[in-house]
Amino acid sequence: MRTSDWLAARVADAVPDTAHGRRLTLAVPGWPGNAPGQHLDIRLTAPDGYQAERSYSIASSGPGESVEIAVDEIPEGEVSPYLVRVAEPGDALEVKGPLGAYFVWDPADPSPVQLIAGGSGIVPLLAMARARAAMSAGAPFRLLYSVRTAADALYRDEVERLGAAGLDVTWAYTRQAPTGWPGRVGRLDAERIAQATWMPAQHPLTFICGPTSFVEAAADAMVAAGHDAARVKTERFGGS
Amino acid sequence: MAEFTRGFGGRRRESDPRLPPGQYLTADFPVLSAGPTPRIAESEWSFSIRTESGAVTSWSWSEFLALPAEDVHTDIHCVTRWSKLDTTWRGVSIDTLFAGIDTSYEFAMAHSYGGYTTNVPMADLRGGKAWVAYAFDGKPLDPEHGGPARLLVPHLYFWKSAKWVRGLSMQKHDDPGFWEQNGYNLHGDPWTEERYW
Ligand SMILES: Cc1cc2nc3c(=O)[nH]c(=O)nc-3n(C[C@H](O)[C@H](O)[C@H](O)COP(=O)(O)OP(=O)(O)OC[C@H]3O[C@@H](n4cnc5c(N)ncnc54)[C@H](O)[C@@H]3O)c2cc1C
């Protein structure tokens, strides 16, 4: 396999998902398809030739020349405010990918899967949960999804639907919970992570994704709980 | 030239000649790693070099600290596109470590606590180009950033600067390490954008 060069792409659809996040569908002629969990690089070109490149996880998987991403705006950022506020159907950009062969779920693997998402870290994990939901039988999945408030959750409706259809979902709220929420509000701690995840004896494969500090804390908690570090896969989106 | 992206003006417009293509400047120190951060006590740490004859030379933490060290001022470039300029490290030059080592192999595999590996040609390690670093910015290296010690090969993308490094083994061929088997380039020169397969 060789990574393609930059492919010309167009925004096909752009749907606000939260007050500061958006789902974008890109039409990419020549896209070779991708596995659940992979990412791509996006390149934007200003009229004077100036370019900026960033990585984004892919929410979709499988064959086809259409890929879905979801972007959370980083205030003062260069690329995310453009993708969340400015991009419209028909706009041109370039993509390279699919990238990464490690943070990938293999549908043939029967191991229980634990997904742990912080904020926009849901994107590659959603690709895995969607791929699982599309199968008639397969590995049991659990998702622990930490968000500031319910209104900040990318893919909230779809996660709820997947939950109703059999995905074991646990929400965690770091700033404010919906009224009547019985749980605690605040950053995830080791105890809450242990409650919401498979036991080490079940030998799950764990995928953790989100901002760097979230991933560090969640991965440390899984290892401290007795999970095999080699079965805890992480993808850090940045920030500190 | 690519078709331009309507509505994108670009905010950063860095034009520092020290910035390789496709990179942007950051003041943070982001982290790229495939799994949880291993935490290794200095008392358990050792660094070893294994050659083609099977000979192994090892240093304990205190032996390592007793080796002549260098202060290194350098820019670093991560394949996830951030670059950080003017960083300061302290560590032992690979030239120092190889002074008494007899090998004719031209490639090395770096091994880390936690199981990660990365391949580097000796031509990219020798000649004042690489170190085993144990301090960053005047302080002991955080586990998140590879402490107790990491390889420092600043002229290549930063995944080659193996965190939590525990040794080098000489290899006849440039066999791929962990990241190189998982999508990253065998060599990793940021100036020619050797990012991916
Ligand atoms: C493999 C990979 C996959 C990614 N997938 C996604 C995705 O699916 N959705 C998504 O929204 N983002 C994702 N990101 C993050 C994305 O690449 C950009 O870093 C992000 O959109 C900010 O870019 P920017 O140009 O707007 O900000 P910049 O101008 O690059 O940065 C502005 C400031 O924000 C800080 N910063 C950068 N990223 C973050 C972060 N994640 N959290 C907090 N602070 C940050 C920077 O250090 C800087 O100080 C992914 C990153 C990686 C490496």
Side-chain angles (χ1 to χ4, degrees):
Chain A
M1 190 182 124
R2 249 200 68 79
T3 305
S4 65
D5 223 339
W6 291 102
L7 297 170
R10 289 204 181 269
V11 177
D13 198 16
V15 185
D17 201 41
T18 68
H20 45 79
R22 192 149 85 153
R23 280 176 282 141
L24 294 148
T25 306
L26 308 177
V28 192
W31 180 256
N34 63 277
Q38 289 190 291
H39 62 278
L40 48 71
D41 282 356
I42 283 193
R43 180 160 81 178
L44 307 180
T45 303
D48 64 355
Y50 170 82
Q51 296 182 317
E53 303 171 12
R54 296 291 184 277
S55 298
Y56 291 94
S57 296
I58 309 169
S60 50
S61 66
E65 298 191 330
S66 167
V67 292
E68 182 183 324
I69 61 170
V71 181
D72 212 11
E73 182 176 23
I74 302 285
E76 307 303 312
E78 175 165 51
V79 171
S80 61
Y82 167 80
L83 292 172
V84 172
R85 307 269 169 223
V86 183
E88 279 173 19
D91 287 352
L93 42 77
E94 292 169 289
V95 306
K96 183 186 281 201
L99 305 172
Y102 172 72
F103 197 78
V104 165
W105 177 59
D106 171 8
D109 185 341
S111 311
V113 171
Q114 180 67 55
L115 308 176
I116 305 181
S120 57
I122 188 66
V123 177
L125 307 186
L126 183 78
M128 298 177 194
R130 282 175 166 178
R132 169 64 189 86
M135 296 163 63
S136 52
F141 265 55
R142 296 183 75 165
L143 166 66
L144 170 57
Y145 186 7
S146 172
V147 292
R148 273 171 283 179
T149 73
D152 291 308
L154 284 169
Y155 291 109
R156 177 175 154 202
D157 295 348
E158 186 168 348
V159 167
E160 298 284 17
R161 276 200 302 280
L162 288 169
L167 174 67
D168 182 337
V169 179
T170 305
W171 291 93
Y173 301 98
T174 60
R175 297 270 171 83
Q176 194 196 327
T179 36
W181 172 253
R184 219 180 322 148
V185 173
R187 287 190 169 229
L188 275 178
D189 53 31
E191 189 191 330
R192 282 201 294 157
I193 290 178
Q195 276 166 9
T197 54
W198 298 105
M199 314 259 288
Q202 291 161 306
H203 214 54
L205 186 58
T206 300
F207 294 90
I208 306 178
C209 186
T212 299
S213 55
F214 175 86
V215 172
E216 283 296 316
D220 284 352
M222 291 300 279
V223 173
H227 290 275
D228 176 1
R231 291 182 60 79
V232 178
K233 300 189 173 200
T234 59
E235 182 105 282
R236 292 162 175 84
F237 276 4
S240 38
Chain B
M1 187 75 246
E3 184 177 350
F4 76 80
T5 307
R6 183 206 62 83
F8 177 67
R11 279 197 187 167
R12 291 171 160 262
R13 306 200 162 264
E14 288 124 353
S15 59
D16 197 302
R18 295 173 294 172
L19 202 55
Q23 298 292 110
Y24 65 88
L25 291 176
T26 180
D28 314 344
F29 193 165
V31 177
L32 168 78
S33 19
T37 295
R39 290 185 162 73
I40 298 94
E42 289 165 2
S43 57
E44 286 164 33
W45 185 91
S46 73
F47 184 83
S48 51
I49 297 175
R50 174 189 293 269
T51 65
E52 56 269 35
S53 70
V56 177
T57 310
S58 298
W59 294 267
S60 68
W61 182 249
S62 55
E63 289 166 341
F64 204 81
L65 292 190
L67 294 171
E70 296 174 11
D71 290 310
V72 185
H73 302 278
T74 188
D75 305 335
I76 56 178
H77 312 291
C78 181
V79 68
T80 63
R81 301 186 178 281
W82 56 266
S83 290
K84 201 170 163 59
L85 303 181
D86 297 320
T87 59
T88 305
W89 304 80
R90 188 167 176 80
V92 179
S93 166
I94 295 291
D95 298 317
T96 304
L97 296 172
F98 272 84
I101 303 244
D102 183 23
T103 176
S104 61
Y105 279 6
E106 286 173 25
F107 304 98
M109 184 71 84
H111 298 265
S112 294
Y113 290 96
Y116 301 107
T117 54
T118 189
N119 56 298
V120 193
M122 286 311 289
D124 285 294
L125 292 176
R126 288 191 199 260
K129 288 183 179 164
W131 296 264
V132 173
Y134 50 76
F136 171 73
D137 226 358
K139 293 185 230 29
L141 194 56
D142 280 344
E144 245 181 69
H145 293 301
R150 76 182 297 161
L151 199 61
L152 177 65
V153 195
H155 69 287
L156 299 179
Y157 282 124
F158 214 43
W159 88 80
K160 292 288 184 185
S161 294
K163 291 193 271 194
W164 318 298
V165 72
R166 60 180 177 82
L168 296 171
S169 58
M170 301 308 302
Q171 54 178 9
K172 186 165 193 180
H173 304 288
D174 201 11
D175 295 327
F178 172 82
W179 289 109
E180 296 79 9
Q181 289 171 43
N182 280 289
Y184 289 128
N185 188 273
L186 200 61
H187 183 237
D189 181 349
W191 295 97
T192 53
E193 290 205 72
E194 293 175 336
R195 292 178 196 274
Y196 312 116
W197 289 341

